[in-house]
Amino acid sequence: MLYLKKYFTEGLIQFTILLSLIGVRVDVDTYLSNQLPPLREIILGPSSAYTQTQFHNLRNTLDGYGIHPKSVDLDQFFTTRRLLNEVRQLDRLSVPSTELNTWLVHRDSETVVSAGSQSNPGITLDNGASLEDINNIEATPAMRGGGGAPESTYDLNAADSSLGAVAPEGNQEQSSRGGNDDLTKEDIDLIDILWRQDIDLGAGREVFSYSNRQKDTEEEKPNTQHSKDVSEEQESWRNGINLQGSQLVDGETGESIPEQVVLGSQTSLSLQECLRLLEATFPFGEEAEFPVPVSNQEVSAPNEEVPSTSQGLPLAPQLPAAEPQLDLEQQWQDIMAIMELQAMEVNNTSVQIVSNTGSARNRTAEPNPDVSLHQASLPSCSQDFPQIFGPQLESVSVAPRTSLLRLSSSNSTNINSTFGATNLTGVFLSPVNSSSNNITATPNLPDPFTTLLEESMLDEISLLDLAMEEGFSQAQASQLEDELDSDSGLSLDSSHSPASPSSSETSCSSAASSSSTSANFSEEGAVGYSTDSEVAAAETEEGAVGGYQPEYSKLCRMSFQDLSQFHGLPQLNSINHNHTYNVPLSSAFSEHPDLPLSAGKKSSRDKKLQPSQDLLDKHASRDERRARAMKIPFSNDKIINLPVEEFNELLAKHHLSEAQLALIRDIRRRGKNKMAAQNCRKRKLETIINLEQGVQNLRRDKARLLKEKMEFIRSIRQLKQKMQSLCQEVFSQLRDEEGRPYPPSEYCLQYGTDGSVLITPRGGTAAQQGRKPEKKQKDKKK
DNA sequence: TATAGCTGTCATTTT
DNA sequence: GTAAAATGACAGCTA
């Protein structure tokens, strides 16, 4: 828990500081609504962010340039990595341990001892203690209750009470505030000092309605120091950053921060010590009053509607996984990148993912799913967003978030295996679950974002399923494409000349001898009637009869376009036809009838010569038979494939009748058209295959984009959680002059462009008034 | 026998 | 304008 508290607080601080440094007034409402429309879309607008088009737009917008279609993968990949790294760096900023340790020394003397953390009497926070060491230490009960047990990792009661003095029930107020009720005069003075700083910044003193100011003289001291020159102020900004971080970390870990120490139950420190602490903590003066850069009025509107805010810190339970989460997140990012690359290579990975997604989906329905890392990545923008500043909504969101986290486990199973025994579920969800358990009024509200996200994931899963079902890897597709390209269309090999089919047909037809064939000729009436004797004579003349076998018909039809190329396409497996595209086999012996055939075939022919001839005639093309019947002196191969000039010369050489010439021209026309049809069909097939591959590529791209989208959403959600946690911490530690907490439902933090953080009433105009803090309704006590 | 797929062919369009 | 190529449509054949 301490982990996560520190993690989120630091991240939130760093994030806000970063925004401030770049000159962005951290009005989160404005920021989310105006500054980064894409982020806003992701956070606020599932309707827009979850449309594929919008996501592309998001990506393009983030890139700042249009994506060329041909460079989508690389461009997108690098862009995504860059953006993710940038986002990661936001929470990579570390608070210098020295600063923190220095502060912890103070705390050690104050809180650990005086606050009565009896549970850990032996714990000492020396300078050598690291953050994690501190985090491992159970916090003082006064601040956070028992931090050990997961169920009570965060003392929600205490948290609620500390923050939730505004709760209408107000039952917890007494118990929570504990020592805060014991505000001493010094405490009030210190508050006065703090507010005095705001006054110096321009806030009217009348704004502060508290009455017990009695030590104005002591106020001058910090004011004098804080009213240094501007350059020093800028320098103090850095110190402020560090000290803020240290301070907040301290507060997050449960140890008291200066205000808390002084204003709360601390009586062991003198006012001088408190002032010294303040100086050390807020060296930059007025801006340091509320170092937590959180502000939101719009989001907190629900708080006003529901005054009975749950002031607990539901996010805090997630803190124990902070450090591990960072590492695991990094690993996850790396693995995601690897998976992306793998997905671009082979579908095996996708298949594995699919199988895993199935199990993950099953696990989603389990009451205690073994949630993996990716599950934790699923955010609920529509719900998380109000969570940031709507404390009462946190309780509402906890359970949905848990369910959300389970949703995105699609790709995580193998990741879990990668991480070995690391139970990411426990890392992410256990605290959340514990938190949700503590929060009673936590209905599982339907989350539209969850629904959309689930749909997206299911869509992705379905896509992966489809990819798996297709069993068509990209490598195979590429290979196939290459092969098809090399063999496609008109670029026919000379050895496989288009003349071949004709020659084969010619040779085949040379064996044809049957009256039926002659009758067939007569039926067509193309070239007149031919008797059997004529056909036989023609066969003898052409000499193409020899060696023909019935099997040859099939051999002739064996296309050099090896369909084995399509074995990778299951949808084509059923196609076992032998397309006689440009088969050259027959030309060899059609032009050279003396060529011997295989012995087996020869014996077969000797055995059944007449039936062979019938079959030969049967398989011979009509044009071949007609040519033989018409005693065409050259093969159909020549007729079809000779160039026009040579073809005309060939015709000129021979004295041919008109019938013969007509037949020859018809043979040429039909033969060319036949090849053209074959090529056309082949092109069609190629086109279909290419389209299928394109669809597959698009599916992969979509799956990859969905993964990237998940990463973005997760990053945003983490940042929101950090901000939320930090905001809660701030409000839990803020006290008015009377020691009463500021109800987050009534106040919000306003972050100025100069880095100042002000607390302003919700709905007030303090945001437009700059740094002048307004403290209204401080007396309101619920 | 019905059906799907392949193949050849024709008519037409495109190059 | 012609030849070649491409393509849609149709019919025949085969499994």
Side-chain angles (χ1 to χ4, degrees), chain A residues 490 554 618 644 668 672-673 676-677 679-681 683-684:
Chain A
L490 302 175
K554 286 294 179 183
K618 186 177 181 180
V644 179
R668 182 179 176 85
K672 286 187 174 296
N673 184 257
N679 292 329
C680 181
R681 285 162 180 157
R683 279 191 295 272
K684 284 182 180 178

Short mmCIF file of all heavy atoms in Angstrom, two decimals, chain A residues 490 554 618 644 668 672-673 676-677 679-681 683-684, chain C residues 2-15:
data_model
loop_
_atom_site.label_atom_id
_atom_site.label_comp_id
_atom_site.label_asym_id
_atom_site.label_seq_id
_atom_site.Cartn_x
_atom_site.Cartn_y
_atom_site.Cartn_z
N LEU A 490 1.08 -12.88 -67.84
CA LEU A 490 1.59 -13.04 -69.18
C LEU A 490 3.06 -13.35 -69.23
O LEU A 490 3.59 -13.65 -70.28
CB LEU A 490 1.34 -11.76 -69.98
CG LEU A 490 -0.13 -11.38 -70.06
CD1 LEU A 490 -0.28 -10.05 -70.76
CD2 LEU A 490 -0.92 -12.46 -70.75
N LYS A 554 -4.35 -36.38 -68.89
CA LYS A 554 -4.12 -35.71 -67.62
C LYS A 554 -2.77 -35.06 -67.56
O LYS A 554 -2.60 -33.97 -67.02
CB LYS A 554 -4.26 -36.72 -66.47
CG LYS A 554 -5.70 -37.11 -66.21
CD LYS A 554 -6.46 -35.90 -65.69
CE LYS A 554 -7.91 -36.22 -65.43
NZ LYS A 554 -8.67 -35.04 -65.00
N LYS A 618 -10.85 -38.56 -78.05
CA LYS A 618 -11.82 -37.98 -77.13
C LYS A 618 -11.25 -36.77 -76.42
O LYS A 618 -11.93 -35.77 -76.18
CB LYS A 618 -12.23 -39.04 -76.11
CG LYS A 618 -13.35 -38.60 -75.20
CD LYS A 618 -13.76 -39.74 -74.27
CE LYS A 618 -14.90 -39.32 -73.37
NZ LYS A 618 -15.29 -40.44 -72.48
N VAL A 644 2.15 -12.49 -85.88
CA VAL A 644 1.25 -12.22 -87.01
C VAL A 644 2.00 -12.31 -88.33
O VAL A 644 1.52 -12.92 -89.30
CB VAL A 644 0.60 -10.84 -86.82
CG1 VAL A 644 -0.31 -10.53 -87.98
CG2 VAL A 644 -0.15 -10.80 -85.52
N ARG A 668 -6.56 -20.14 -84.42
CA ARG A 668 -5.69 -19.12 -83.82
C ARG A 668 -6.47 -18.25 -82.85
O ARG A 668 -6.02 -17.97 -81.73
CB ARG A 668 -5.05 -18.28 -84.92
CG ARG A 668 -4.09 -17.21 -84.40
CD ARG A 668 -3.50 -16.45 -85.55
NE ARG A 668 -2.64 -15.36 -85.10
CZ ARG A 668 -1.36 -15.51 -84.79
NH1 ARG A 668 -0.79 -16.70 -84.89
NH2 ARG A 668 -0.66 -14.46 -84.40
N LYS A 672 -5.74 -18.41 -78.83
CA LYS A 672 -5.31 -17.23 -78.08
C LYS A 672 -6.32 -16.87 -77.00
O LYS A 672 -5.96 -16.51 -75.88
CB LYS A 672 -5.11 -16.05 -79.04
CG LYS A 672 -3.86 -16.17 -79.88
CD LYS A 672 -3.64 -14.91 -80.69
CE LYS A 672 -2.30 -15.00 -81.42
NZ LYS A 672 -1.16 -15.05 -80.48
N ASN A 673 -7.54 -16.99 -77.36
CA ASN A 673 -8.55 -16.67 -76.37
C ASN A 673 -8.52 -17.67 -75.22
O ASN A 673 -8.77 -17.31 -74.06
CB ASN A 673 -9.94 -16.67 -77.01
CG ASN A 673 -11.01 -16.24 -76.03
OD1 ASN A 673 -11.74 -17.06 -75.50
ND2 ASN A 673 -11.07 -14.94 -75.79
N ALA A 676 -5.77 -16.66 -73.11
CA ALA A 676 -6.15 -15.43 -72.43
C ALA A 676 -7.11 -15.73 -71.29
O ALA A 676 -7.01 -15.14 -70.21
CB ALA A 676 -6.79 -14.48 -73.45
N ALA A 677 -8.01 -16.65 -71.54
CA ALA A 677 -8.93 -17.01 -70.46
C ALA A 677 -8.20 -17.63 -69.30
O ALA A 677 -8.50 -17.36 -68.13
CB ALA A 677 -10.00 -17.95 -71.01
N ASN A 679 -5.10 -17.14 -68.46
CA ASN A 679 -4.39 -16.08 -67.75
C ASN A 679 -5.35 -15.22 -66.95
O ASN A 679 -5.04 -14.79 -65.84
CB ASN A 679 -3.61 -15.22 -68.74
CG ASN A 679 -2.45 -15.98 -69.36
OD1 ASN A 679 -1.87 -16.87 -68.74
ND2 ASN A 679 -2.12 -15.66 -70.61
N CYS A 680 -6.45 -14.98 -67.53
CA CYS A 680 -7.43 -14.15 -66.83
C CYS A 680 -7.87 -14.82 -65.54
O CYS A 680 -7.95 -14.18 -64.49
CB CYS A 680 -8.62 -13.89 -67.74
SG CYS A 680 -9.88 -12.84 -66.97
N ARG A 681 -8.13 -16.08 -65.62
CA ARG A 681 -8.53 -16.79 -64.41
C ARG A 681 -7.41 -16.85 -63.40
O ARG A 681 -7.63 -16.78 -62.19
CB ARG A 681 -9.01 -18.18 -64.79
CG ARG A 681 -10.37 -18.14 -65.44
CD ARG A 681 -10.69 -19.38 -66.20
NE ARG A 681 -12.02 -19.29 -66.80
CZ ARG A 681 -12.43 -19.98 -67.85
NH1 ARG A 681 -11.59 -20.81 -68.46
NH2 ARG A 681 -13.64 -19.85 -68.32
N ARG A 683 -5.15 -14.64 -63.05
CA ARG A 683 -5.08 -13.31 -62.42
C ARG A 683 -6.19 -13.12 -61.40
O ARG A 683 -5.99 -12.52 -60.35
CB ARG A 683 -5.16 -12.24 -63.51
CG ARG A 683 -3.85 -11.97 -64.19
CD ARG A 683 -3.96 -10.72 -65.04
NE ARG A 683 -4.91 -10.90 -66.13
CZ ARG A 683 -4.60 -11.40 -67.33
NH1 ARG A 683 -3.35 -11.75 -67.59
NH2 ARG A 683 -5.50 -11.54 -68.28
N LYS A 684 -7.31 -13.64 -61.73
CA LYS A 684 -8.39 -13.54 -60.75
C LYS A 684 -8.01 -14.23 -59.45
O LYS A 684 -8.25 -13.72 -58.36
CB LYS A 684 -9.66 -14.17 -61.32
CG LYS A 684 -10.37 -13.31 -62.34
CD LYS A 684 -11.64 -14.01 -62.79
CE LYS A 684 -12.39 -13.17 -63.82
NZ LYS A 684 -13.62 -13.85 -64.31
P DT C 2 -10.41 -2.33 -90.08
OP1 DT C 2 -10.54 -2.86 -91.45
OP2 DT C 2 -11.56 -2.32 -89.16
"O5'" DT C 2 -9.19 -3.07 -89.35
"C5'" DT C 2 -7.88 -2.93 -89.88
"C4'" DT C 2 -6.89 -3.59 -88.95
"O4'" DT C 2 -6.68 -2.76 -87.79
"C3'" DT C 2 -7.32 -4.97 -88.45
"O3'" DT C 2 -6.28 -5.91 -88.66
"C2'" DT C 2 -7.59 -4.74 -86.97
"C1'" DT C 2 -6.69 -3.57 -86.64
N1 DT C 2 -7.16 -2.73 -85.51
C2 DT C 2 -6.28 -2.45 -84.50
O2 DT C 2 -5.13 -2.85 -84.48
N3 DT C 2 -6.82 -1.66 -83.50
C4 DT C 2 -8.11 -1.15 -83.44
O4 DT C 2 -8.46 -0.46 -82.49
C5 DT C 2 -8.96 -1.48 -84.54
C7 DT C 2 -10.37 -0.98 -84.57
C6 DT C 2 -8.46 -2.25 -85.52
P DA C 3 -6.58 -7.41 -88.48
OP1 DA C 3 -6.08 -8.15 -89.65
OP2 DA C 3 -7.98 -7.57 -88.05
"O5'" DA C 3 -5.64 -7.75 -87.21
"C5'" DA C 3 -4.28 -7.36 -87.25
"C4'" DA C 3 -3.66 -7.51 -85.86
"O4'" DA C 3 -4.16 -6.47 -84.99
"C3'" DA C 3 -3.96 -8.85 -85.18
"O3'" DA C 3 -2.77 -9.39 -84.64
"C2'" DA C 3 -4.98 -8.49 -84.12
"C1'" DA C 3 -4.64 -7.05 -83.79
N9 DA C 3 -5.77 -6.24 -83.35
C8 DA C 3 -6.99 -6.13 -83.95
N7 DA C 3 -7.83 -5.32 -83.34
C5 DA C 3 -7.10 -4.87 -82.26
C6 DA C 3 -7.42 -3.98 -81.21
N6 DA C 3 -8.60 -3.37 -81.10
N1 DA C 3 -6.47 -3.74 -80.29
C2 DA C 3 -5.28 -4.35 -80.41
N3 DA C 3 -4.87 -5.20 -81.34
C4 DA C 3 -5.84 -5.41 -82.25
P DA C 4 -2.76 -10.80 -84.05
OP1 DA C 4 -1.52 -11.47 -84.46
OP2 DA C 4 -4.07 -11.41 -84.33
"O5'" DA C 4 -2.69 -10.49 -82.48
"C5'" DA C 4 -1.71 -9.58 -82.00
"C4'" DA C 4 -2.01 -9.19 -80.56
"O4'" DA C 4 -3.17 -8.32 -80.55
"C3'" DA C 4 -2.34 -10.36 -79.63
"O3'" DA C 4 -1.49 -10.32 -78.50
"C2'" DA C 4 -3.80 -10.15 -79.25
"C1'" DA C 4 -3.99 -8.66 -79.45
N9 DA C 4 -5.36 -8.27 -79.80
C8 DA C 4 -6.11 -8.72 -80.85
N7 DA C 4 -7.30 -8.17 -80.93
C5 DA C 4 -7.34 -7.32 -79.85
C6 DA C 4 -8.34 -6.45 -79.36
N6 DA C 4 -9.53 -6.31 -79.94
N1 DA C 4 -8.06 -5.72 -78.25
C2 DA C 4 -6.86 -5.88 -77.69
N3 DA C 4 -5.84 -6.65 -78.05
C4 DA C 4 -6.15 -7.35 -79.14
P DA C 5 -1.55 -11.47 -77.49
OP1 DA C 5 -0.18 -11.71 -77.02
OP2 DA C 5 -2.37 -12.56 -78.04
"O5'" DA C 5 -2.38 -10.79 -76.28
"C5'" DA C 5 -2.00 -9.49 -75.83
"C4'" DA C 5 -3.04 -8.96 -74.87
"O4'" DA C 5 -4.23 -8.60 -75.60
"C3'" DA C 5 -3.48 -9.95 -73.78
"O3'" DA C 5 -3.36 -9.35 -72.50
"C2'" DA C 5 -4.92 -10.26 -74.13
"C1'" DA C 5 -5.36 -9.02 -74.89
N9 DA C 5 -6.42 -9.24 -75.86
C8 DA C 5 -6.42 -10.10 -76.91
N7 DA C 5 -7.52 -10.08 -77.63
C5 DA C 5 -8.31 -9.13 -77.00
C6 DA C 5 -9.60 -8.64 -77.26
N6 DA C 5 -10.36 -9.06 -78.28
N1 DA C 5 -10.09 -7.69 -76.43
C2 DA C 5 -9.33 -7.28 -75.41
N3 DA C 5 -8.10 -7.67 -75.06
C4 DA C 5 -7.65 -8.60 -75.91
P DA C 6 -3.66 -10.20 -71.27
OP1 DA C 6 -2.75 -9.76 -70.20
OP2 DA C 6 -3.73 -11.62 -71.63
"O5'" DA C 6 -5.13 -9.69 -70.90
"C5'" DA C 6 -5.38 -8.30 -70.88
"C4'" DA C 6 -6.83 -8.04 -70.49
"O4'" DA C 6 -7.67 -8.21 -71.65
"C3'" DA C 6 -7.37 -8.97 -69.40
"O3'" DA C 6 -8.04 -8.22 -68.42
"C2'" DA C 6 -8.30 -9.90 -70.16
"C1'" DA C 6 -8.76 -9.03 -71.32
N9 DA C 6 -9.11 -9.77 -72.52
C8 DA C 6 -8.36 -10.70 -73.18
N7 DA C 6 -8.93 -11.20 -74.26
C5 DA C 6 -10.14 -10.54 -74.32
C6 DA C 6 -11.22 -10.63 -75.23
N6 DA C 6 -11.24 -11.43 -76.29
N1 DA C 6 -12.29 -9.82 -74.99
C2 DA C 6 -12.27 -9.02 -73.93
N3 DA C 6 -11.32 -8.86 -73.01
C4 DA C 6 -10.27 -9.66 -73.27
P DT C 7 -8.46 -8.94 -67.12
OP1 DT C 7 -8.34 -7.97 -66.03
OP2 DT C 7 -7.79 -10.25 -67.03
"O5'" DT C 7 -10.01 -9.19 -67.41
"C5'" DT C 7 -10.80 -8.11 -67.88
"C4'" DT C 7 -12.19 -8.58 -68.23
"O4'" DT C 7 -12.20 -9.16 -69.55
"C3'" DT C 7 -12.76 -9.64 -67.28
"O3'" DT C 7 -14.04 -9.26 -66.85
"C2'" DT C 7 -12.83 -10.89 -68.14
"C1'" DT C 7 -13.05 -10.28 -69.51
N1 DT C 7 -12.70 -11.17 -70.66
C2 DT C 7 -13.58 -11.29 -71.72
O2 DT C 7 -14.64 -10.71 -71.76
N3 DT C 7 -13.16 -12.14 -72.71
C4 DT C 7 -11.97 -12.85 -72.75
O4 DT C 7 -11.72 -13.58 -73.71
C5 DT C 7 -11.10 -12.67 -71.62
C7 DT C 7 -9.80 -13.39 -71.57
C6 DT C 7 -11.49 -11.85 -70.64
P DG C 8 -14.60 -9.86 -65.51
OP1 DG C 8 -14.57 -8.82 -64.49
OP2 DG C 8 -13.98 -11.17 -65.27
"O5'" DG C 8 -16.12 -10.12 -65.95
"C5'" DG C 8 -16.83 -9.10 -66.62
"C4'" DG C 8 -17.97 -9.68 -67.44
"O4'" DG C 8 -17.42 -10.34 -68.62
"C3'" DG C 8 -18.81 -10.72 -66.71
"O3'" DG C 8 -20.18 -10.52 -66.96
"C2'" DG C 8 -18.32 -12.05 -67.29
"C1'" DG C 8 -17.91 -11.65 -68.69
N9 DG C 8 -16.86 -12.48 -69.26
C8 DG C 8 -15.64 -12.75 -68.71
N7 DG C 8 -14.88 -13.51 -69.45
C5 DG C 8 -15.65 -13.76 -70.57
C6 DG C 8 -15.36 -14.53 -71.72
O6 DG C 8 -14.35 -15.17 -72.00
N1 DG C 8 -16.43 -14.52 -72.63
C2 DG C 8 -17.61 -13.85 -72.44
N2 DG C 8 -18.52 -13.97 -73.42
N3 DG C 8 -17.90 -13.13 -71.37
C4 DG C 8 -16.88 -13.13 -70.48
P DA C 9 -21.23 -11.32 -66.17
OP1 DA C 9 -22.39 -10.45 -65.94
OP2 DA C 9 -20.57 -12.01 -65.05
"O5'" DA C 9 -21.64 -12.43 -67.24
"C5'" DA C 9 -22.00 -12.01 -68.55
"C4'" DA C 9 -22.23 -13.22 -69.43
"O4'" DA C 9 -20.94 -13.75 -69.83
"C3'" DA C 9 -22.98 -14.37 -68.74
"O3'" DA C 9 -24.11 -14.74 -69.52
"C2'" DA C 9 -21.95 -15.50 -68.67
"C1'" DA C 9 -20.98 -15.15 -69.77
N9 DA C 9 -19.61 -15.61 -69.55
C8 DA C 9 -18.83 -15.37 -68.45
N7 DA C 9 -17.63 -15.91 -68.52
C5 DA C 9 -17.62 -16.53 -69.75
C6 DA C 9 -16.63 -17.27 -70.44
N6 DA C 9 -15.42 -17.52 -69.94
N1 DA C 9 -16.94 -17.75 -71.66
C2 DA C 9 -18.15 -17.50 -72.16
N3 DA C 9 -19.16 -16.81 -71.62
C4 DA C 9 -18.83 -16.35 -70.41
P DC C 10 -25.16 -15.69 -68.89
OP1 DC C 10 -26.49 -15.19 -69.30
OP2 DC C 10 -24.86 -15.93 -67.47
"O5'" DC C 10 -24.86 -17.05 -69.69
"C5'" DC C 10 -24.74 -17.00 -71.10
"C4'" DC C 10 -24.07 -18.26 -71.60
"O4'" DC C 10 -22.67 -18.22 -71.24
"C3'" DC C 10 -24.63 -19.55 -71.00
"O3'" DC C 10 -25.34 -20.28 -71.99
"C2'" DC C 10 -23.39 -20.32 -70.52
"C1'" DC C 10 -22.23 -19.55 -71.11
N1 DC C 10 -20.99 -19.54 -70.27
C2 DC C 10 -19.84 -20.17 -70.72
O2 DC C 10 -19.85 -20.76 -71.82
N3 DC C 10 -18.74 -20.15 -69.95
C4 DC C 10 -18.76 -19.52 -68.77
N4 DC C 10 -17.63 -19.53 -68.04
C5 DC C 10 -19.92 -18.86 -68.29
C6 DC C 10 -21.00 -18.90 -69.06
P DA C 11 -26.17 -21.54 -71.61
OP1 DA C 11 -27.36 -21.59 -72.48
OP2 DA C 11 -26.32 -21.57 -70.15
"O5'" DA C 11 -25.17 -22.72 -72.03
"C5'" DA C 11 -24.57 -22.67 -73.31
"C4'" DA C 11 -23.54 -23.79 -73.46
"O4'" DA C 11 -22.36 -23.44 -72.68
"C3'" DA C 11 -24.02 -25.15 -72.94
"O3'" DA C 11 -23.66 -26.17 -73.85
"C2'" DA C 11 -23.28 -25.30 -71.60
"C1'" DA C 11 -22.00 -24.51 -71.84
N9 DA C 11 -21.41 -23.94 -70.64
C8 DA C 11 -22.04 -23.21 -69.68
N7 DA C 11 -21.25 -22.81 -68.71
C5 DA C 11 -20.02 -23.31 -69.06
C6 DA C 11 -18.76 -23.25 -68.44
N6 DA C 11 -18.53 -22.61 -67.30
N1 DA C 11 -17.72 -23.86 -69.07
C2 DA C 11 -17.95 -24.50 -70.22
N3 DA C 11 -19.09 -24.63 -70.89
C4 DA C 11 -20.09 -24.00 -70.25
P DG C 12 -24.28 -27.60 -73.72
OP1 DG C 12 -24.83 -28.00 -75.02
OP2 DG C 12 -25.13 -27.60 -72.51
"O5'" DG C 12 -22.97 -28.46 -73.41
"C5'" DG C 12 -21.85 -28.33 -74.25
"C4'" DG C 12 -20.64 -28.98 -73.62
"O4'" DG C 12 -20.17 -28.15 -72.54
"C3'" DG C 12 -20.92 -30.37 -73.01
"O3'" DG C 12 -19.95 -31.29 -73.47
"C2'" DG C 12 -20.81 -30.13 -71.50
"C1'" DG C 12 -19.88 -28.94 -71.42
N9 DG C 12 -20.07 -28.10 -70.24
C8 DG C 12 -21.24 -27.50 -69.84
N7 DG C 12 -21.12 -26.80 -68.74
C5 DG C 12 -19.78 -26.95 -68.40
C6 DG C 12 -19.06 -26.42 -67.31
O6 DG C 12 -19.48 -25.70 -66.39
N1 DG C 12 -17.73 -26.81 -67.33
C2 DG C 12 -17.17 -27.61 -68.29
N2 DG C 12 -15.88 -27.89 -68.16
N3 DG C 12 -17.82 -28.11 -69.32
C4 DG C 12 -19.12 -27.74 -69.31
P DC C 13 -20.13 -32.78 -73.20
OP1 DC C 13 -19.72 -33.53 -74.40
OP2 DC C 13 -21.47 -32.98 -72.62
"O5'" DC C 13 -19.04 -33.01 -72.05
"C5'" DC C 13 -17.72 -32.54 -72.25
"C4'" DC C 13 -16.96 -32.63 -70.93
"O4'" DC C 13 -17.37 -31.56 -70.06
"C3'" DC C 13 -17.18 -33.95 -70.18
"O3'" DC C 13 -15.95 -34.64 -70.02
"C2'" DC C 13 -17.76 -33.51 -68.84
"C1'" DC C 13 -17.39 -32.05 -68.74
N1 DC C 13 -18.39 -31.23 -67.98
C2 DC C 13 -17.99 -30.57 -66.82
O2 DC C 13 -16.81 -30.68 -66.43
N3 DC C 13 -18.90 -29.83 -66.15
C4 DC C 13 -20.15 -29.74 -66.60
N4 DC C 13 -21.02 -28.99 -65.91
C5 DC C 13 -20.57 -30.40 -67.79
C6 DC C 13 -19.67 -31.12 -68.44
P DT C 14 -15.95 -36.09 -69.50
OP1 DT C 14 -14.86 -36.81 -70.19
OP2 DT C 14 -17.33 -36.60 -69.53
"O5'" DT C 14 -15.53 -35.88 -67.98
"C5'" DT C 14 -14.40 -35.05 -67.66
"C4'" DT C 14 -14.32 -34.85 -66.15
"O4'" DT C 14 -15.32 -33.90 -65.73
"C3'" DT C 14 -14.56 -36.13 -65.34
"O3'" DT C 14 -13.49 -36.33 -64.44
"C2'" DT C 14 -15.87 -35.87 -64.62
"C1'" DT C 14 -15.92 -34.35 -64.54
N1 DT C 14 -17.28 -33.77 -64.49
C2 DT C 14 -17.58 -32.85 -63.54
O2 DT C 14 -16.79 -32.45 -62.70
N3 DT C 14 -18.87 -32.39 -63.58
C4 DT C 14 -19.86 -32.75 -64.49
O4 DT C 14 -20.98 -32.26 -64.42
C5 DT C 14 -19.47 -33.71 -65.46
C7 DT C 14 -20.47 -34.17 -66.48
C6 DT C 14 -18.21 -34.19 -65.43
P DA C 15 -13.31 -37.72 -63.72
OP1 DA C 15 -11.91 -38.13 -63.89
OP2 DA C 15 -14.40 -38.60 -64.15
"O5'" DA C 15 -13.53 -37.35 -62.19
"C5'" DA C 15 -12.83 -36.22 -61.64
"C4'" DA C 15 -13.48 -35.79 -60.33
"O4'" DA C 15 -14.75 -35.17 -60.62
"C3'" DA C 15 -13.77 -36.96 -59.38
"O3'" DA C 15 -13.39 -36.60 -58.06
"C2'" DA C 15 -15.27 -37.15 -59.49
"C1'" DA C 15 -15.76 -35.75 -59.82
N9 DA C 15 -17.00 -35.71 -60.57
C8 DA C 15 -17.34 -36.48 -61.65
N7 DA C 15 -18.54 -36.24 -62.13
C5 DA C 15 -19.01 -35.22 -61.32
C6 DA C 15 -20.22 -34.52 -61.30
N6 DA C 15 -21.21 -34.73 -62.17
N1 DA C 15 -20.37 -33.56 -60.36
C2 DA C 15 -19.37 -33.35 -59.49
N3 DA C 15 -18.19 -33.96 -59.40
C4 DA C 15 -18.07 -34.89 -60.35
#
